[in-house]
Amino acid sequence: MTVALEIKNLHVSVNDQPILKGVNLLIREGEIHALMGPNGSGKSTLAYTLAGHPAYEPTAGQVIFDGKDLLEMEADERSRAGLFLAFQYPVAVPGVTLAKFLRQAINSRRQAENPDDKGISIPEFRRLLKEKMAMLNIDPKFAGRYLNDGFSGGEKKRAEILQMATLEPKIAIMDETDSGLDIDALRIVAEGANRLHETNNMGVLVITHYQRILNYIKPDYVHIMLDGRIVESGGPELALQLEEKGYDWIRAKYGAAEEA
Amino acid sequence: MTGFSKEAVEKLSAVLNEPAWMREFRLQAWEVYEKTPMPTTKDEAWRRTDIRRLKLDEIGPALNGFDASGVDVPAYLGEQLTADKAGGVLVEVDGVVQHYELSDALKEQGVIFCDMHTAVREHEELVKKHFMTEAVKVTDGKFAALHGAFWRGGVFLYVPKNVKAAAPLHSALWSAHGKTFTHTLVVLEEGAEAIFIDEYASGQGDAPGLHNGVIELLVRDNASLTYAGLQDFGQNVWQFNHERARVGRDARLEWVTSMMGTRLTKAFQTVELDKPGAWARMSGVFFTTDRQHVDLDTQQNHNASDTVSDLLYKGALKGKSRSVWQGMIKVLPGSQRIDGFQANRNLMLDRTSRADSIPGLEIEADDVRCTHASTVGKLDEEEVFYLMSRGIPRHTAVQMVVQGFFDPIMARIPIEGVRERIFSRILEKLG
Ligand SMILES: Nc1ncnc2c1ncn2[C@@H]1O[C@H](COP(=O)(O)OP(=O)(O)OP(=O)(O)O)[C@@H](O)[C@H]1O
Ligand SMILES: [Mg+2]
């Protein structure tokens, strides 16, 4: 059975303030979706809500992931179930090295399956990490650095994709992974995501403001979010249209209705 | 039940069968004690630590002789922590020796490592010369005086000139009766080197207990001492400590302190950088839970030019516990090219805990590089969420963030076994 992420009429508040106002979206394994929309329209709110951040409170609607009620699951369960969020703003965790963190992430998966699991062996982990780091052109020295601590913007984004490549999710949300990446890094990161898409049939939701990343990670569907709703969905041509015309026509078309 | 009195001093000295000079020393300390008022929150150093509920005389001195061999000391105490097997091991119960060994190699080097009472009898001149004469003095405070009068047990380490102690030394002091007055005296003569782990612990008792300790570390010119003091008393124990190190020319002191136990701790920890080239690093870890109260006064005294001191104390707090750190760097007039650093960082794991962090500088010289930093922060839920978002369960994620908090201080502790011991206690206390 293919895994799907199904978002139905999702309403979310932050500090009692409604941000998402009825989002509907269906992403299946193997599909690539792009989510675009003006600043503050609620894209990251959707991403955080799906990842289970406690500040984002679903007030109505449903999210079904792989047949399970996602909103009932803790953040760690969601991750182990195969959902991954590459954060727009990854958090630094001083004192915890990238390697230690990734190893624990792998072991937490194994131990959730089998409480007696002894965890991945150090040589096996080293091999895995080395391979993934090489694929993403990340200096092996980063393994020993504190997680995201003092990483440049682009380094953080690459570290997010390293985590994605290591954890091999079924569906990944990439929240503005393209911002802060130089042109070469963007290509490398996109290739990494495409490889997971091709080899593991990973489904992807790419949140972005720019067409550029979509030249590499080619979406099957493009959605536009405005004021907490997905107002327009279409094929790849929709992104090109936005690049050309901006959001005014969307606002004119849907924002007016809002005011009325 | 016996309280503290002149008669009790005499009785203790008789029970211990001490030479006259030590008996005299105790009696003089008792006089100082009697003349010194009990500290109150009106005294600057005691402003944040209220000891009105301490009933000293209900605890009283440790006067009786007893057989320590029957007391169960937990296996972890005195367990090997250093990579090299300890060459000297001393296990005491309330100041009475239970287990003692000293390797031939150390003996041949002339290293003296024994309990304090044996030292008073067998190394009288050395003890007389150094015991509360230059580091801690009975006039340093009410509890320094009480200690001078009633000290019992503890350990003496003496390393002769230019001797690098062939193996690490390890002492472990277990309290079974809740009355401990241990004295640690370390003398490293010129060019000597040693690594010494000094543990203090007790189980959880019901009745109030007391640890009134003194630690004296004398590190002569060109000598190098690594000293780790690990405290883990039950939460029924009131602890009042005076600890002072003197560091000579081009000498090095690596001073590690871990505080996990006690109901209340008030400790004065001072390093005196006496001559040019003296270097000292103080690394402190504490973790308080429940209603524990830890109040640490640290002082880094730069008494000469070209001296370096670097202090980092890190603590985590849970429940209704409280910590106070008050640090001071003093630079005497005329001393030049001084590096003095102090930082205290606290991690609050519950809203009900409280940490006060008060750095201080008193500098009467120009060519000085001194920094101080103090922070009190909550557990960062964003960090916890980030780790959880990768599949790590909350409990493990919190452990990792707390471990991360302590990582910089662990990195300073030069003995892996000590790091592991401290870290496993942190995880236990975190729950
Ligand atoms: N934790 C929060 N606290 C307060 N307000 C929030 C929080 N998270 C989101 N918001 C608000 O919700 C709205 C949507 O924010 P969100 O980050 O989802 O937008 P976005 O579409 O991702 O924007 P951008 O393109 O700039 O990344 C904004 O008005 C934002 O200020
Ligand atoms: Mg965003």
Side-chain angles (χ1 to χ4, degrees):
Chain A
M1 212 187 80
T2 52
V3 173
L5 176 69
E6 193 174 7
I7 303 164
K8 294 187 214 163
N9 188 34
L10 181 64
H11 288 67
V12 171
S13 291
V14 179
N15 296 328
D16 291 326
Q17 173 145 357
I19 307 287
L20 297 187
K21 302 164 183 173
V23 173
N24 292 288
L25 186 62
L26 172 64
I27 302 169
R28 289 192 197 84
E29 222 177 336
E31 293 178 352
I32 296 179
H33 293 246
L35 178 62
M36 306 181 80
N39 293 132
S41 56
K43 303 178 300 294
S44 293
T45 300
L46 176 64
Y48 274 117
T49 306
L50 295 173
H53 191 291
Y56 297 80
E57 193 203 346
T59 53
Q62 236 194 341
V63 181
I64 306 295
F65 179 65
D66 197 9
K68 290 184 289 256
D69 184 350
L70 188 80
L71 300 180
E72 285 300 307
M73 296 157 76
E74 294 294 329
D76 56 316
E77 292 175 71
R78 298 179 194 202
S79 164
R80 293 196 302 269
L83 188 67
F84 183 92
L85 169 59
F87 289 93
Q88 183 176 1
Y89 302 111
V91 176
V93 190
V96 177
T97 63
L98 178 61
K100 182 183 159 116
F101 161 65
L102 269 176
R103 187 152 174 253
Q104 184 60 56
I106 291 169
N107 288 344
S108 291
R109 283 175 156 63
R110 293 169 60 138
Q111 278 148 11
E113 299 262 303
N114 170 16
D116 296 328
D117 188 284
K118 293 279 179 290
I120 186 168
S121 75
I122 293 191
E124 193 188 342
F125 175 69
R126 285 224 184 96
R127 219 174 309 123
L128 177 75
L129 191 58
K130 216 174 131 191
E131 173 204 318
K132 304 288 181 189
M133 288 180 106
M135 178 183 96
L136 292 164
N137 225 357
I138 297 174
D139 186 335
K141 281 201 202 82
F142 275 77
R145 279 185 59 179
Y146 290 158
L147 183 55
N148 294 328
D149 196 26
F151 285 23
S152 76
E155 287 163 354
K156 282 185 191 169
K157 295 301 173 71
R158 254 186 288 182
E160 292 292 290
I161 302 310
L162 173 68
Q163 294 169 41
M164 181 171 91
T166 311
L167 300 178
E168 302 190 336
K170 292 172 184 142
I171 291 180
I173 303 159
M174 296 167 65
D175 191 358
E176 294 199 29
T177 301
D178 51 346
S179 73
L181 286 182
D182 66 45
I183 300 181
D184 293 338
L186 178 67
R187 187 177 38 78
I188 290 163
V189 157
E191 277 167 9
N194 282 335
R195 193 166 320 170
L196 287 165
H197 168 67
E198 280 151 24
T199 55
N200 296 358
N201 202 30
M202 179 177 80
V204 191
L205 177 65
V206 182
I207 300 176
T208 182
H209 288 293
Y210 304 105
Q211 172 61 37
R212 207 179 53 171
I213 189 171
L214 303 180
N215 292 335
Y216 295 105
I217 306 177
K218 295 202 161 57
D220 307 303
Y221 308 94
V222 175
H223 311 276
I224 301 173
M225 183 173 270
L226 183 70
D227 191 24
R229 285 189 198 91
I230 290 176
V231 292
E232 186 100 20
S233 294
E237 73 289 347
L238 190 53
L240 294 167
Q241 222 173 323
L242 282 181
E243 186 95 334
E244 209 174 295
K245 300 200 284 183
Y247 287 110
D248 280 353
W249 64 280
I250 293 284
R251 283 202 187 88
K253 195 167 162 189
Y254 299 97
E258 180 80 356
E259 250 103 273
Chain B
M1 188 167 39
T2 326
F4 294 101
S5 65
K6 189 176 172 196
E7 292 67 44
V9 175
E10 283 164 341
K11 179 164 183 221
L12 176 61
S13 197
V15 165
L16 297 170
N17 200 11
E18 285 178 340
W21 71 268
M22 181 48 86
R23 184 167 165 275
E24 255 336 282
F25 179 93
R26 288 182 185 274
L27 286 168
Q28 274 173 22
W30 176 251
E31 261 178 50
V32 175
Y33 176 79
E34 284 211 296
K35 276 189 269 179
T36 311
M38 187 58 83
T40 70
T41 50
K42 292 204 178 67
D43 299 292
E44 181 52 35
W46 293 80
R47 249 178 63 189
R48 293 165 189 85
T49 294
D50 187 349
I51 55 168
R52 275 175 305 180
R53 296 174 74 172
L54 168 69
K55 302 280 177 278
L56 257 187
D57 282 311
E58 284 177 19
I59 302 171
L63 296 185
N64 300 327
F66 65 96
D67 182 5
S69 59
V71 176
D72 263 339
V73 174
Y76 80 84
L77 275 183
E79 199 176 63
Q80 183 175 337
L81 295 177
T82 40
D84 298 331
K85 187 175 165 2
V89 178
L90 174 68
V91 179
E92 284 181 23
V93 179
D94 289 316
V96 178
V97 177
Q98 186 186 61
H99 174 80
Y100 172 64
E101 55 186 274
L102 184 63
S103 72
D104 290 339
L106 286 166
K107 280 184 201 155
E108 277 158 27
Q109 287 186 313
V111 171
I112 302 170
F113 178 73
C114 62
D115 75 279
M116 223 32 248
H117 300 296
T118 300
V120 167
R121 283 192 307 272
E122 293 178 12
H123 306 282
E124 191 165 346
E125 287 316 307
L126 282 176
V127 175
K128 213 172 184 173
K129 185 171 169 204
H130 300 110
F131 188 92
M132 296 189 89
T133 55
E134 6 170 348
V136 178
K137 303 216 174 83
V138 295
T139 47
D140 282 355
K142 184 80 170 166
F143 289 96
L146 184 68
H147 177 91
F150 286 100
W151 74 271
R152 182 169 188 177
V155 53
F156 179 54
L157 170 61
Y158 177 85
V159 185
K161 193 168 167 179
N162 293 329
V163 167
K164 296 182 187 6
L169 293 311
H170 192 161
S171 82
L173 310 173
W174 175 252
S175 174
H177 300 93
K179 303 171 188 190
T180 37
F181 298 82
T182 55
H183 194 101
T184 296
L185 175 58
V186 176
V187 182
L188 260 57
E189 297 287 17
E190 271 178 48
E193 278 180 30
I195 297 169
F196 178 26
I197 297 172
D198 199 13
E199 294 189 82
Y200 307 83
S202 71
Q204 179 62 43
D206 298 323
L210 178 67
H211 179 239
N212 176 208
V214 162
I215 296 172
E216 303 190 274
L217 310 174
L218 300 172
V219 190
R220 303 305 191 200
D221 296 354
N222 290 307
S224 170
L225 173 65
T226 297
Y227 174 83
L230 313 176
Q231 179 271 101
D232 208 346
F233 284 114
Q235 289 187 20
N236 56 316
V237 172
W238 300 75
Q239 182 184 41
F240 302 96
N241 264 26
H242 283 265
E243 309 177 7
R244 179 176 271 122
R246 304 211 81 101
V247 187
R249 184 181 299 273
D250 297 324
R252 288 172 63 90
L253 170 64
E254 184 88 66
W255 185 354
V256 176
T257 301
S258 156
M259 273 158 287
M260 296 293 160
T262 79
R263 163 189 182 152
L264 178 145
T265 287
K266 174 79 199 180
F268 297 88
Q269 300 183 304
T270 305
V271 62
E272 308 278 355
L273 299 144
D274 287 329
K275 290 185 199 162
W279 181 98
R281 185 156 79 160
M282 298 169 82
S283 306
V285 184
F286 58 87
F287 195 142
T288 56
T289 60
D290 308 290
R291 290 179 174 276
Q292 286 186 275
H293 179 114
V294 170
D295 180 343
L296 307 172
D297 257 270
T298 64
Q299 203 154 321
Q300 296 149 263
N301 292 337
H302 290 262
N303 307 324
S305 296
D306 301 296
T307 47
V308 179
S309 73
D310 176 5
L311 176 145
L312 176 63
Y313 276 47
K314 292 198 107 174
L317 298 98
K318 259 178 69 173
K320 292 193 169 150
S321 68
R322 178 163 182 203
S323 72
V324 181
W325 170 80
Q326 203 163 351
M328 177 63 77
I329 299 180
K330 278 194 187 172
V331 178
L332 286 188
S335 340
Q336 300 304 336
R337 295 169 304 277
I338 303 294
D339 278 348
F341 310 109
Q342 56 173 343
N344 166 236
R345 304 192 187 279
N346 302 284
L347 176 64
M348 315 266 289
L349 296 165
D350 287 317
R351 244 197 284 249
T352 44
S353 354
R354 175 170 166 192
D356 291 291
S357 183
I358 310 139
L361 301 174
E362 231 174 76
I363 294 170
E364 300 176 61
D366 315 316
D367 188 2
V368 164
R369 201 157 54 116
C370 284
T371 61
H372 57 85
S374 78
T375 52
V376 177
K378 286 188 306 193
L379 180 71
D380 189 338
E381 284 296 336
E382 294 299 325
E383 293 179 21
V384 174
F385 169 70
Y386 186 81
L387 299 180
M388 286 179 71
S389 79
R390 301 310 185 224
I392 299 171
R394 182 175 175 85
H395 186 249
T396 311
V398 171
Q399 281 186 347
M400 289 175 82
V401 172
V402 172
Q403 182 177 10
F405 168 77
F406 282 110
D407 196 72
I409 188 106
M410 293 297 177
R412 289 163 60 119
I413 299 177
I415 305 164
E416 190 182 354
V418 170
R419 287 198 296 273
E420 281 168 6
R421 162 70 60 79
I422 294 173
F423 184 60
S424 69
R425 278 300 280 143
I426 287 171
L427 288 188
E428 271 173 50
K429 295 203 83 171
L430 188 59

